[in-house]
Amino acid sequence: MQEPRAHWSSSVGLVFAAAGSAIGLGNLWKFPFITFENDGGAFVLVYLLCIAAVGLPIMMAELLIGRRTQKSVVGALREAVGPAWGVVGAWGVLCGFILLSYYTVIAGWSLYYFARTAQWTLTGFPAGLSTGDVFGAQVSSSGLQIALSLAFSTATVAVVYFGVQRGIERIARLFLPILFAILVLMLVSALGMSGSGEALAFIFRPNFAELEPESVLEALGHSFFTLSLGMGAMVTYGSYIAGNQSIVKASAVIVVLDTVIALFATVIMFSVIFSVSGMREQVGASTVGMLFISLPELFYTQVPFGRILGPLFYVLVALAALTSTISLLEVVASYLIDEHDVDRHKATILCGAAIFVFTIFAAISFSGAPFFSTLALFEGKTGWFETADHFVSNWMLPTGGLAITLAAGWFMTREATRGELVDGNEPGWFRYGVWRLFIRWVAPAAVGAIVVAVIFFGRDFS
Ligand code: TRP
């Protein structure tokens, strides 16, 4: 027997949980880096446009499909659109599985860096220490990598185990305010640094001459990733919305929160980096460099109150990552719970364990372990970590997102979608019309462009 479906305690609960899902490593790690790579200003503006014109309408589409059907992604698409659409749902579950398998590894690094920075805070930053070497040593130790990921996976399973209200919502309500407070503290400190003016100009002064057409697609692809769209995570969270809780306002708040946090993080990182001469050239080299090589040292040599902010920063990364990993695990576990009648406790542990096997592959792919460092399904991508990230960001999220857009815009009836978006006796005609225009035309065209670029032109956005 199925238990009655669990619901968020209120629409505030939904906002916390969904914002927790959206706000993650994408905001703190990916966004600052791609903004740097794409020369700031114009890229940021394009990104904001993508978030508003494509991300927001799809966020509403996913939540409404979930709310309408009260089922997680496979059952939801089947019921809302048609039996064949279960395949799209299964694609989403698979995507959650793969994404969680490698996301956990980077999340695990935040635990290591918390411990290291806490140590430096207490005993002082060792003179002459190379943070590049510190990073290299931790990432190439397979045992350490597996231990860190295991710690993080266990925490993820523990939260999802307790269910929608007592697990997911409770943790999000507790963590998001802490995360926000730490970020604001860091922002205040960063804005006082000498590089902050240059950083703000870099981020907010658009120079369209430097914008490549490819950057537009990269901004679009990232808007999917950062909002947790394209794989049914928001369909699943939407299925825990009770009938009387509104979707439209909640979606707007979730999207704004995610965007503000990404911008805060970017301002903070660039203010720090631009305050040191020569650093700007140095950090460009790698995605992980900014967060795990440059910043740790700068906390102890440059940032005001850095001795306190250093460890706090990695607490922030860990909290942001955990509210995302629980959402990923929920996508996979809720499939077993809803479609195969497995009880939540069993489903959570089973899925957590199965995914962890692949997390081990991701964790050891940095240490040159034989098979996993040579796995080369995609050109230039070695190991499970790179392969999975490439596959998810380039193939799975855009194709899944396209399917969901088409489902909501073209395959569901106007009455069905309207019934979910327009509440009670609110007129809402205009608002609904705008949404429908975007979900039928703008979003599919934009997402379709990514799919075409990846499939036919071999583009790489990860
Ligand atoms: N949005 C998350 C981040 O920015 C990553 C992510 C993508 C995600 N899809 C997801 C998280 C689905 C949870 C569920 O880090």
Coordinates of all heavy atoms in Angstrom, one line a residue, residues 20-28 95-96 99 103 222 224-229 231-234 258 320-321 323-329 331 392 397, ligand 1:
G20 N 17.2 25.4 -2.8 CA 18.3 24.6 -2.4 C 18.8 23.7 -3.5 O 20.0 23.5 -3.6
S21 N 17.9 23.1 -4.2 CA 18.3 22.3 -5.3 C 19.0 23.1 -6.4 O 20.1 22.7 -6.9 CB 17.0 21.7 -6.0 OG 17.3 21.1 -7.2
A22 N 18.5 24.3 -6.7 CA 19.1 25.1 -7.8 C 20.4 25.7 -7.3 O 21.4 25.6 -8.1 CB 18.1 26.2 -8.1
I23 N 20.5 26.2 -6.1 CA 21.7 26.8 -5.7 C 22.7 25.7 -5.3 O 22.5 24.9 -4.4 CB 21.5 27.7 -4.4 CG1 20.5 28.8 -4.8 CG2 22.8 28.2 -3.9 CD1 19.9 29.5 -3.6
G24 N 23.8 25.6 -6.0 CA 24.8 24.5 -5.7 C 26.1 24.9 -6.3 O 26.5 26.0 -6.5
L25 N 26.8 23.8 -6.7 CA 28.2 24.0 -7.2 C 28.1 24.8 -8.5 O 29.0 25.5 -8.9 CB 28.8 22.7 -7.5 CG 29.0 21.8 -6.2 CD1 29.5 20.4 -6.5 CD2 30.1 22.5 -5.3
G26 N 27.0 24.7 -9.2 CA 26.8 25.5 -10.5 C 26.9 27.0 -10.2 O 27.5 27.7 -11.0
N27 N 26.4 27.4 -9.1 CA 26.5 28.8 -8.8 C 27.9 29.3 -8.3 O 28.4 30.3 -8.6 CB 25.5 29.2 -7.7 CG 24.1 28.8 -8.0 OD1 23.8 27.6 -8.3 ND2 23.2 29.7 -8.1
L28 N 28.5 28.4 -7.4 CA 29.7 28.8 -6.8 C 31.0 28.4 -7.6 O 32.0 29.0 -7.5 CB 29.8 28.1 -5.4 CG 28.6 28.3 -4.5 CD1 28.8 27.5 -3.2 CD2 28.5 29.8 -4.1
C95 N 19.7 10.6 -15.8 CA 20.5 11.8 -15.7 C 20.8 12.1 -14.2 O 21.9 12.5 -13.9 CB 19.7 13.0 -16.4 SG 20.6 14.5 -16.4
G96 N 19.8 12.0 -13.4 CA 20.0 12.3 -11.9 C 21.0 11.3 -11.4 O 21.9 11.7 -10.6
L99 N 24.5 12.4 -12.8 CA 25.0 13.7 -12.3 C 25.4 13.5 -10.8 O 26.4 14.0 -10.4 CB 23.8 14.7 -12.5 CG 24.0 16.1 -12.1 CD1 25.3 16.7 -12.4 CD2 22.9 17.0 -12.7
Y103 N 28.9 14.7 -9.1 CA 28.7 15.9 -8.3 C 29.2 15.7 -6.9 O 29.8 16.6 -6.2 CB 27.3 16.2 -8.3 CG 26.8 17.6 -8.0 CD1 26.6 18.5 -9.0 CD2 26.5 18.0 -6.7 CE1 26.2 19.8 -8.7 CE2 26.1 19.2 -6.4 CZ 25.9 20.1 -7.4 OH 25.4 21.4 -7.1
H222 N 24.1 26.7 -19.3 CA 24.3 26.8 -17.9 C 23.0 27.2 -17.1 O 22.8 26.8 -16.0 CB 25.4 27.8 -17.6 CG 25.6 27.9 -16.1 ND1 26.2 26.9 -15.4 CD2 25.3 28.9 -15.2 CE1 26.3 27.2 -14.1 NE2 25.7 28.4 -13.9
F224 N 20.2 26.0 -17.6 CA 19.5 24.7 -17.3 C 20.1 24.1 -16.1 O 19.5 23.6 -15.2 CB 19.8 23.8 -18.5 CG 18.7 23.7 -19.4 CD1 18.5 24.7 -20.3 CD2 17.7 22.7 -19.3 CE1 17.4 24.7 -21.1 CE2 16.7 22.7 -20.1 CZ 16.5 23.6 -21.0
F225 N 21.5 24.0 -16.1 CA 22.2 23.3 -15.1 C 21.9 24.0 -13.7 O 21.5 23.4 -12.8 CB 23.7 23.3 -15.4 CG 24.5 22.5 -14.4 CD1 24.7 21.1 -14.6 CD2 25.0 23.1 -13.3 CE1 25.4 20.4 -13.7 CE2 25.8 22.4 -12.4 CZ 26.0 21.0 -12.6
T226 N 22.1 25.3 -13.7 CA 22.0 26.0 -12.5 C 20.6 26.0 -11.9 O 20.4 26.0 -10.7 CB 22.5 27.4 -12.6 OG1 22.7 28.0 -11.3 CG2 21.6 28.3 -13.4
L227 N 19.6 25.9 -12.7 CA 18.2 25.9 -12.2 C 17.7 24.5 -12.0 O 16.5 24.2 -11.6 CB 17.3 26.6 -13.1 CG 17.5 28.2 -13.2 CD1 16.6 28.8 -14.2 CD2 17.3 28.8 -11.8
S228 N 18.6 23.5 -12.1 CA 18.2 22.1 -12.0 C 17.1 21.7 -12.9 O 16.2 20.9 -12.6 CB 17.7 21.8 -10.5 OG 18.7 22.1 -9.6
L229 N 17.1 22.2 -14.1 CA 16.0 21.9 -15.1 C 16.5 20.8 -16.1 O 17.7 20.5 -16.2 CB 15.7 23.1 -15.9 CG 15.1 24.3 -15.0 CD1 14.9 25.5 -15.9 CD2 13.8 23.9 -14.4
M231 N 15.7 17.6 -16.3 CA 15.8 16.2 -15.9 C 14.7 15.8 -14.9 O 14.7 14.7 -14.4 CB 17.1 15.9 -15.3 CG 17.5 16.9 -14.2 SD 18.9 16.3 -13.2 CE 18.0 15.2 -12.2
G232 N 13.8 16.7 -14.7 CA 12.6 16.3 -13.9 C 12.8 16.5 -12.4 O 12.0 16.1 -11.6
A233 N 13.9 17.1 -12.0 CA 14.1 17.4 -10.6 C 12.9 18.3 -10.1 O 12.4 18.1 -9.0 CB 15.4 18.0 -10.3
M234 N 12.6 19.3 -10.9 CA 11.6 20.2 -10.5 C 10.2 19.6 -10.7 O 9.2 20.0 -10.0 CB 11.7 21.6 -11.2 CG 12.9 22.3 -10.8 SD 12.9 22.7 -9.0 CE 14.6 23.3 -8.8
D258 N 18.4 32.0 -7.0 CA 19.5 31.3 -7.7 C 20.5 32.3 -8.4 O 21.7 32.2 -8.3 CB 19.0 30.3 -8.7 CG 20.1 29.5 -9.3 OD1 20.6 28.6 -8.6 OD2 20.5 29.7 -10.4
A320 N 25.6 24.3 0.2 CA 25.0 24.5 -1.1 C 24.9 23.2 -1.9 O 23.9 22.8 -2.5 CB 25.7 25.5 -1.9
A321 N 26.0 22.4 -1.8 CA 26.1 21.2 -2.5 C 25.1 20.1 -1.9 O 24.4 19.4 -2.7 CB 27.5 20.6 -2.5
T323 N 22.2 20.6 -0.4 CA 20.8 20.8 -0.7 C 20.5 20.4 -2.2 O 19.4 20.2 -2.6 CB 20.3 22.2 -0.4 OG1 21.3 23.1 -1.0 CG2 20.2 22.4 1.0
S324 N 21.6 20.3 -3.0 CA 21.5 19.9 -4.4 C 21.6 18.4 -4.5 O 20.8 17.8 -5.2 CB 22.5 20.5 -5.3 OG 22.4 21.9 -5.3
T325 N 22.5 17.8 -3.8 CA 22.6 16.3 -3.9 C 21.3 15.6 -3.4 O 20.9 14.6 -3.9 CB 23.8 15.7 -3.2 OG1 23.8 16.2 -1.8 CG2 25.1 16.2 -3.8
I326 N 20.7 16.2 -2.3 CA 19.5 15.5 -1.9 C 18.4 15.6 -2.9 O 17.6 14.7 -3.1 CB 19.0 16.1 -0.5 CG1 18.7 17.6 -0.6 CG2 19.9 15.8 0.6 CD1 18.2 18.2 0.7
S327 N 18.4 16.7 -3.7 CA 17.4 16.8 -4.7 C 17.7 15.8 -5.9 O 16.7 15.2 -6.4 CB 17.3 18.2 -5.2 OG 17.0 18.3 -6.5
L328 N 18.9 15.6 -6.2 CA 19.3 14.6 -7.2 C 18.9 13.2 -6.7 O 18.3 12.4 -7.5 CB 20.8 14.6 -7.5 CG 21.2 15.8 -8.3 CD1 22.7 16.1 -8.2 CD2 20.8 15.7 -9.8
L329 N 19.2 12.9 -5.5 CA 18.9 11.5 -5.0 C 17.4 11.3 -4.9 O 16.8 10.3 -5.2 CB 19.5 11.3 -3.6 CG 19.2 9.9 -3.0 CD1 19.8 8.8 -3.9 CD2 19.9 9.8 -1.6
V331 N 15.2 12.5 -7.0 CA 14.7 12.2 -8.3 C 14.7 10.7 -8.6 O 13.8 10.0 -9.0 CB 15.5 12.9 -9.4 CG1 15.1 12.4 -10.8 CG2 15.3 14.4 -9.3
V392 N 26.1 14.6 -19.4 CA 25.0 15.3 -18.7 C 24.8 16.7 -19.3 O 23.7 17.0 -19.7 CB 25.2 15.3 -17.2 CG1 24.2 16.3 -16.5 CG2 25.0 13.9 -16.6
L397 N 20.8 17.1 -20.4 CA 20.0 18.2 -19.9 C 19.3 18.9 -21.1 O 18.1 19.2 -21.1 CB 20.7 19.2 -19.1 CG 21.2 18.6 -17.7 CD1 22.0 19.7 -16.9 CD2 20.1 18.1 -16.9
Ligands
TRP1 N1 21.5 23.2 -9.9 C1 22.6 22.5 -9.4 C2 23.7 23.4 -9.2 O1 23.7 24.5 -9.7 C3 23.0 21.3 -10.2 C4 21.9 20.5 -10.7 C5 21.6 20.3 -12.0 C6 20.9 19.8 -10.0 N2 20.5 19.5 -12.1 C7 20.1 19.2 -10.9 C8 20.8 19.7 -8.6 C9 19.0 18.5 -10.4 C10 19.7 18.9 -8.2 C11 18.8 18.3 -9.1 O2 24.7 23.1 -8.7

